[in-house]
Amino acid sequence: MLKEERHEIILDKLEKDGIIQVSSLTNILNVTDMTIRRDLKELEDQNLLLRVHGGAKSLDKALPREFSNEEKIYKNKEKKEYIAQIIASLIDGDENIFLGAGTTIEYVSTYLSNKKCNIYTNSLYLFEKLKNLRGVRVFLIGGEFREITGAFVGSLAIDVIEKLKFSMAFIGVNGIHDGLAYTYSVDEGILQAKILDNSNKAYLIADSSKVGVEDFYGFYKIENADVISDDEISSKGKKDIEKFTNLIYKI
């Protein structure tokens, strides 16, 4: 493949996704890491992208931006459905389960009928999907409402969480990189860390597109939780996670 063709593919993927990883591009273009890094350097010199650790960002998305629930709900839908089934398979009856905000976890509602468990959440969007499920008791944790993600956060939410102990907690992330889980909102990250710490079993939820990715706020060391992903996770992604903790990626 000619260099010009590689550059066109890289820029097209950047326009679509906003961020690209060297490891992903080596698989797509079937070239070495060194070739990709040279390509990214040339494109950056032409002011067409911004290189970051492990990849590159498009210039118009160089500053972190938080995507809304509506923007994310159908992105990587098949991966999210796959992960949702893994999560549901881990939930038994007579347990106190925390399900965090995020579109991947929203898909879990499809698989929870007759689980006969107690579900706690700070997600209004998830609550709306769970409230009519047979056999499931649902508790909504209140606080300051963040409309963009549908999550309740802040001191009121923290005050409630500090008094509760969960059998299991499932928390979605925007990225996992170098042993750290990332999100965009500091307020959400602080609350999510407390939820995970107050659970007998903690799970971080990241579809394979989020492995190797950083966001604005690193809120949790993945060594303190298991990570759930999908079966499209790369060999490198598996190794990067399994250096620190257990990875679940098969139904």
Side-chain angles (χ1 to χ4, degrees), residues 91-106:
I91 296 175
D92 294 321
D94 300 320
E95 292 183 318
N96 293 312
I97 310 297
F98 193 96
L99 296 177
T103 53
T104 300
I105 295 177
E106 285 180 42

mmCIF file with all atom_site columns, all heavy atoms in Angstrom, residues 91-106:
data_model
loop_
_atom_site.group_PDB
_atom_site.id
_atom_site.type_symbol
_atom_site.label_atom_id
_atom_site.label_alt_id
_atom_site.label_comp_id
_atom_site.label_asym_id
_atom_site.label_entity_id
_atom_site.label_seq_id
_atom_site.pdbx_PDB_ins_code
_atom_site.Cartn_x
_atom_site.Cartn_y
_atom_site.Cartn_z
_atom_site.occupancy
_atom_site.B_iso_or_equiv
_atom_site.pdbx_formal_charge
_atom_site.auth_seq_id
_atom_site.auth_comp_id
_atom_site.auth_asym_id
_atom_site.auth_atom_id
_atom_site.pdbx_PDB_model_num
ATOM 1   N N   . ILE A 1 91  ? -24.782 -11.777 37.705 1.00 0.00 ? 91  ILE A N   1
ATOM 2   C CA  . ILE A 1 91  ? -25.733 -11.324 38.719 1.00 0.00 ? 91  ILE A CA  1
ATOM 3   C C   . ILE A 1 91  ? -26.686 -12.445 39.099 1.00 0.00 ? 91  ILE A C   1
ATOM 4   O O   . ILE A 1 91  ? -27.341 -13.029 38.243 1.00 0.00 ? 91  ILE A O   1
ATOM 5   C CB  . ILE A 1 91  ? -26.530 -10.109 38.198 1.00 0.00 ? 91  ILE A CB  1
ATOM 6   C CG1 . ILE A 1 91  ? -25.579 -8.932  37.959 1.00 0.00 ? 91  ILE A CG1 1
ATOM 7   C CG2 . ILE A 1 91  ? -27.631 -9.722  39.183 1.00 0.00 ? 91  ILE A CG2 1
ATOM 8   C CD1 . ILE A 1 91  ? -26.251 -7.724  37.322 1.00 0.00 ? 91  ILE A CD1 1
ATOM 9   N N   . ASP A 1 92  ? -26.746 -12.752 40.394 1.00 0.00 ? 92  ASP A N   1
ATOM 10  C CA  . ASP A 1 92  ? -27.679 -13.744 40.919 1.00 0.00 ? 92  ASP A CA  1
ATOM 11  C C   . ASP A 1 92  ? -28.747 -13.042 41.753 1.00 0.00 ? 92  ASP A C   1
ATOM 12  O O   . ASP A 1 92  ? -28.674 -11.837 42.010 1.00 0.00 ? 92  ASP A O   1
ATOM 13  C CB  . ASP A 1 92  ? -26.935 -14.772 41.784 1.00 0.00 ? 92  ASP A CB  1
ATOM 14  C CG  . ASP A 1 92  ? -25.965 -15.612 40.966 1.00 0.00 ? 92  ASP A CG  1
ATOM 15  O OD1 . ASP A 1 92  ? -26.312 -15.966 39.829 1.00 0.00 ? 92  ASP A OD1 1
ATOM 16  O OD2 . ASP A 1 92  ? -24.861 -15.890 41.469 1.00 0.00 ? 92  ASP A OD2 1
ATOM 17  N N   . GLY A 1 93  ? -29.714 -13.810 42.205 1.00 0.00 ? 93  GLY A N   1
ATOM 18  C CA  . GLY A 1 93  ? -30.770 -13.255 43.038 1.00 0.00 ? 93  GLY A CA  1
ATOM 19  C C   . GLY A 1 93  ? -30.294 -12.944 44.449 1.00 0.00 ? 93  GLY A C   1
ATOM 20  O O   . GLY A 1 93  ? -29.207 -13.361 44.869 1.00 0.00 ? 93  GLY A O   1
ATOM 21  N N   . ASP A 1 94  ? -31.118 -12.178 45.175 1.00 0.00 ? 94  ASP A N   1
ATOM 22  C CA  . ASP A 1 94  ? -30.866 -11.842 46.584 1.00 0.00 ? 94  ASP A CA  1
ATOM 23  C C   . ASP A 1 94  ? -29.530 -11.143 46.791 1.00 0.00 ? 94  ASP A C   1
ATOM 24  O O   . ASP A 1 94  ? -28.835 -11.359 47.787 1.00 0.00 ? 94  ASP A O   1
ATOM 25  C CB  . ASP A 1 94  ? -30.931 -13.109 47.456 1.00 0.00 ? 94  ASP A CB  1
ATOM 26  C CG  . ASP A 1 94  ? -32.294 -13.780 47.366 1.00 0.00 ? 94  ASP A CG  1
ATOM 27  O OD1 . ASP A 1 94  ? -33.310 -13.050 47.346 1.00 0.00 ? 94  ASP A OD1 1
ATOM 28  O OD2 . ASP A 1 94  ? -32.332 -15.015 47.296 1.00 0.00 ? 94  ASP A OD2 1
ATOM 29  N N   . GLU A 1 95  ? -29.150 -10.290 45.854 1.00 0.00 ? 95  GLU A N   1
ATOM 30  C CA  . GLU A 1 95  ? -27.907 -9.533  45.987 1.00 0.00 ? 95  GLU A CA  1
ATOM 31  C C   . GLU A 1 95  ? -28.205 -8.044  45.822 1.00 0.00 ? 95  GLU A C   1
ATOM 32  O O   . GLU A 1 95  ? -29.186 -7.644  45.193 1.00 0.00 ? 95  GLU A O   1
ATOM 33  C CB  . GLU A 1 95  ? -26.890 -9.954  44.923 1.00 0.00 ? 95  GLU A CB  1
ATOM 34  C CG  . GLU A 1 95  ? -26.359 -11.362 45.110 1.00 0.00 ? 95  GLU A CG  1
ATOM 35  C CD  . GLU A 1 95  ? -25.311 -11.713 44.071 1.00 0.00 ? 95  GLU A CD  1
ATOM 36  O OE1 . GLU A 1 95  ? -25.506 -11.379 42.891 1.00 0.00 ? 95  GLU A OE1 1
ATOM 37  O OE2 . GLU A 1 95  ? -24.295 -12.324 44.451 1.00 0.00 ? 95  GLU A OE2 1
ATOM 38  N N   . ASN A 1 96  ? -27.325 -7.228  46.394 1.00 0.00 ? 96  ASN A N   1
ATOM 39  C CA  . ASN A 1 96  ? -27.402 -5.781  46.226 1.00 0.00 ? 96  ASN A CA  1
ATOM 40  C C   . ASN A 1 96  ? -26.377 -5.369  45.175 1.00 0.00 ? 96  ASN A C   1
ATOM 41  O O   . ASN A 1 96  ? -25.169 -5.416  45.424 1.00 0.00 ? 96  ASN A O   1
ATOM 42  C CB  . ASN A 1 96  ? -27.129 -5.070  47.548 1.00 0.00 ? 96  ASN A CB  1
ATOM 43  C CG  . ASN A 1 96  ? -28.215 -5.328  48.573 1.00 0.00 ? 96  ASN A CG  1
ATOM 44  O OD1 . ASN A 1 96  ? -29.404 -5.202  48.273 1.00 0.00 ? 96  ASN A OD1 1
ATOM 45  N ND2 . ASN A 1 96  ? -27.823 -5.696  49.790 1.00 0.00 ? 96  ASN A ND2 1
ATOM 46  N N   . ILE A 1 97  ? -26.868 -4.985  44.009 1.00 0.00 ? 97  ILE A N   1
ATOM 47  C CA  . ILE A 1 97  ? -26.023 -4.729  42.855 1.00 0.00 ? 97  ILE A CA  1
ATOM 48  C C   . ILE A 1 97  ? -26.045 -3.248  42.512 1.00 0.00 ? 97  ILE A C   1
ATOM 49  O O   . ILE A 1 97  ? -27.109 -2.637  42.455 1.00 0.00 ? 97  ILE A O   1
ATOM 50  C CB  . ILE A 1 97  ? -26.512 -5.516  41.618 1.00 0.00 ? 97  ILE A CB  1
ATOM 51  C CG1 . ILE A 1 97  ? -26.725 -6.998  41.950 1.00 0.00 ? 97  ILE A CG1 1
ATOM 52  C CG2 . ILE A 1 97  ? -25.559 -5.330  40.451 1.00 0.00 ? 97  ILE A CG2 1
ATOM 53  C CD1 . ILE A 1 97  ? -25.476 -7.726  42.350 1.00 0.00 ? 97  ILE A CD1 1
ATOM 54  N N   . PHE A 1 98  ? -24.876 -2.673  42.261 1.00 0.00 ? 98  PHE A N   1
ATOM 55  C CA  . PHE A 1 98  ? -24.826 -1.309  41.749 1.00 0.00 ? 98  PHE A CA  1
ATOM 56  C C   . PHE A 1 98  ? -24.480 -1.341  40.271 1.00 0.00 ? 98  PHE A C   1
ATOM 57  O O   . PHE A 1 98  ? -23.483 -1.929  39.858 1.00 0.00 ? 98  PHE A O   1
ATOM 58  C CB  . PHE A 1 98  ? -23.801 -0.444  42.487 1.00 0.00 ? 98  PHE A CB  1
ATOM 59  C CG  . PHE A 1 98  ? -23.970 1.022   42.164 1.00 0.00 ? 98  PHE A CG  1
ATOM 60  C CD1 . PHE A 1 98  ? -24.710 1.824   43.005 1.00 0.00 ? 98  PHE A CD1 1
ATOM 61  C CD2 . PHE A 1 98  ? -23.438 1.568   41.003 1.00 0.00 ? 98  PHE A CD2 1
ATOM 62  C CE1 . PHE A 1 98  ? -24.917 3.173   42.695 1.00 0.00 ? 98  PHE A CE1 1
ATOM 63  C CE2 . PHE A 1 98  ? -23.634 2.896   40.684 1.00 0.00 ? 98  PHE A CE2 1
ATOM 64  C CZ  . PHE A 1 98  ? -24.385 3.706   41.535 1.00 0.00 ? 98  PHE A CZ  1
ATOM 65  N N   . LEU A 1 99  ? -25.322 -0.691  39.471 1.00 0.00 ? 99  LEU A N   1
ATOM 66  C CA  . LEU A 1 99  ? -25.074 -0.524  38.041 1.00 0.00 ? 99  LEU A CA  1
ATOM 67  C C   . LEU A 1 99  ? -24.886 0.960   37.758 1.00 0.00 ? 99  LEU A C   1
ATOM 68  O O   . LEU A 1 99  ? -25.791 1.764   37.995 1.00 0.00 ? 99  LEU A O   1
ATOM 69  C CB  . LEU A 1 99  ? -26.244 -1.068  37.215 1.00 0.00 ? 99  LEU A CB  1
ATOM 70  C CG  . LEU A 1 99  ? -26.515 -2.575  37.307 1.00 0.00 ? 99  LEU A CG  1
ATOM 71  C CD1 . LEU A 1 99  ? -27.743 -2.938  36.487 1.00 0.00 ? 99  LEU A CD1 1
ATOM 72  C CD2 . LEU A 1 99  ? -25.306 -3.372  36.819 1.00 0.00 ? 99  LEU A CD2 1
ATOM 73  N N   . GLY A 1 100 ? -23.722 1.332   37.262 1.00 0.00 ? 100 GLY A N   1
ATOM 74  C CA  . GLY A 1 100 ? -23.418 2.735   37.038 1.00 0.00 ? 100 GLY A CA  1
ATOM 75  C C   . GLY A 1 100 ? -24.015 3.283   35.767 1.00 0.00 ? 100 GLY A C   1
ATOM 76  O O   . GLY A 1 100 ? -24.663 2.583   34.984 1.00 0.00 ? 100 GLY A O   1
ATOM 77  N N   . ALA A 1 101 ? -23.771 4.568   35.567 1.00 0.00 ? 101 ALA A N   1
ATOM 78  C CA  . ALA A 1 101 ? -24.239 5.238   34.355 1.00 0.00 ? 101 ALA A CA  1
ATOM 79  C C   . ALA A 1 101 ? -23.400 4.795   33.160 1.00 0.00 ? 101 ALA A C   1
ATOM 80  O O   . ALA A 1 101 ? -22.272 4.342   33.299 1.00 0.00 ? 101 ALA A O   1
ATOM 81  C CB  . ALA A 1 101 ? -24.153 6.745   34.536 1.00 0.00 ? 101 ALA A CB  1
ATOM 82  N N   . GLY A 1 102 ? -23.975 4.944   31.977 1.00 0.00 ? 102 GLY A N   1
ATOM 83  C CA  . GLY A 1 102 ? -23.242 4.602   30.760 1.00 0.00 ? 102 GLY A CA  1
ATOM 84  C C   . GLY A 1 102 ? -24.073 3.738   29.839 1.00 0.00 ? 102 GLY A C   1
ATOM 85  O O   . GLY A 1 102 ? -24.879 2.916   30.287 1.00 0.00 ? 102 GLY A O   1
ATOM 86  N N   . THR A 1 103 ? -23.867 3.910   28.549 1.00 0.00 ? 103 THR A N   1
ATOM 87  C CA  . THR A 1 103 ? -24.727 3.239   27.573 1.00 0.00 ? 103 THR A CA  1
ATOM 88  C C   . THR A 1 103 ? -24.518 1.726   27.531 1.00 0.00 ? 103 THR A C   1
ATOM 89  O O   . THR A 1 103 ? -25.462 0.990   27.266 1.00 0.00 ? 103 THR A O   1
ATOM 90  C CB  . THR A 1 103 ? -24.499 3.827   26.175 1.00 0.00 ? 103 THR A CB  1
ATOM 91  O OG1 . THR A 1 103 ? -23.099 3.800   25.859 1.00 0.00 ? 103 THR A OG1 1
ATOM 92  C CG2 . THR A 1 103 ? -24.974 5.274   26.124 1.00 0.00 ? 103 THR A CG2 1
ATOM 93  N N   . THR A 1 104 ? -23.294 1.251   27.782 1.00 0.00 ? 104 THR A N   1
ATOM 94  C CA  . THR A 1 104 ? -23.085 -0.202  27.798 1.00 0.00 ? 104 THR A CA  1
ATOM 95  C C   . THR A 1 104 ? -23.913 -0.842  28.897 1.00 0.00 ? 104 THR A C   1
ATOM 96  O O   . THR A 1 104 ? -24.600 -1.849  28.669 1.00 0.00 ? 104 THR A O   1
ATOM 97  C CB  . THR A 1 104 ? -21.593 -0.539  28.003 1.00 0.00 ? 104 THR A CB  1
ATOM 98  O OG1 . THR A 1 104 ? -20.833 0.022   26.931 1.00 0.00 ? 104 THR A OG1 1
ATOM 99  C CG2 . THR A 1 104 ? -21.381 -2.048  28.034 1.00 0.00 ? 104 THR A CG2 1
ATOM 100 N N   . ILE A 1 105 ? -23.887 -0.263  30.081 1.00 0.00 ? 105 ILE A N   1
ATOM 101 C CA  . ILE A 1 105 ? -24.621 -0.836  31.207 1.00 0.00 ? 105 ILE A CA  1
ATOM 102 C C   . ILE A 1 105 ? -26.130 -0.714  30.998 1.00 0.00 ? 105 ILE A C   1
ATOM 103 O O   . ILE A 1 105 ? -26.897 -1.564  31.465 1.00 0.00 ? 105 ILE A O   1
ATOM 104 C CB  . ILE A 1 105 ? -24.162 -0.190  32.520 1.00 0.00 ? 105 ILE A CB  1
ATOM 105 C CG1 . ILE A 1 105 ? -22.693 -0.559  32.777 1.00 0.00 ? 105 ILE A CG1 1
ATOM 106 C CG2 . ILE A 1 105 ? -25.022 -0.644  33.700 1.00 0.00 ? 105 ILE A CG2 1
ATOM 107 C CD1 . ILE A 1 105 ? -22.092 0.074   34.015 1.00 0.00 ? 105 ILE A CD1 1
ATOM 108 N N   . GLU A 1 106 ? -26.582 0.286   30.256 1.00 0.00 ? 106 GLU A N   1
ATOM 109 C CA  . GLU A 1 106 ? -28.017 0.397   29.976 1.00 0.00 ? 106 GLU A CA  1
ATOM 110 C C   . GLU A 1 106 ? -28.540 -0.834  29.256 1.00 0.00 ? 106 GLU A C   1
ATOM 111 O O   . GLU A 1 106 ? -29.688 -1.243  29.439 1.00 0.00 ? 106 GLU A O   1
ATOM 112 C CB  . GLU A 1 106 ? -28.290 1.649   29.146 1.00 0.00 ? 106 GLU A CB  1
ATOM 113 C CG  . GLU A 1 106 ? -28.221 2.944   29.945 1.00 0.00 ? 106 GLU A CG  1
ATOM 114 C CD  . GLU A 1 106 ? -28.506 4.152   29.090 1.00 0.00 ? 106 GLU A CD  1
ATOM 115 O OE1 . GLU A 1 106 ? -29.435 4.084   28.265 1.00 0.00 ? 106 GLU A OE1 1
ATOM 116 O OE2 . GLU A 1 106 ? -27.792 5.164   29.239 1.00 0.00 ? 106 GLU A OE2 1
#
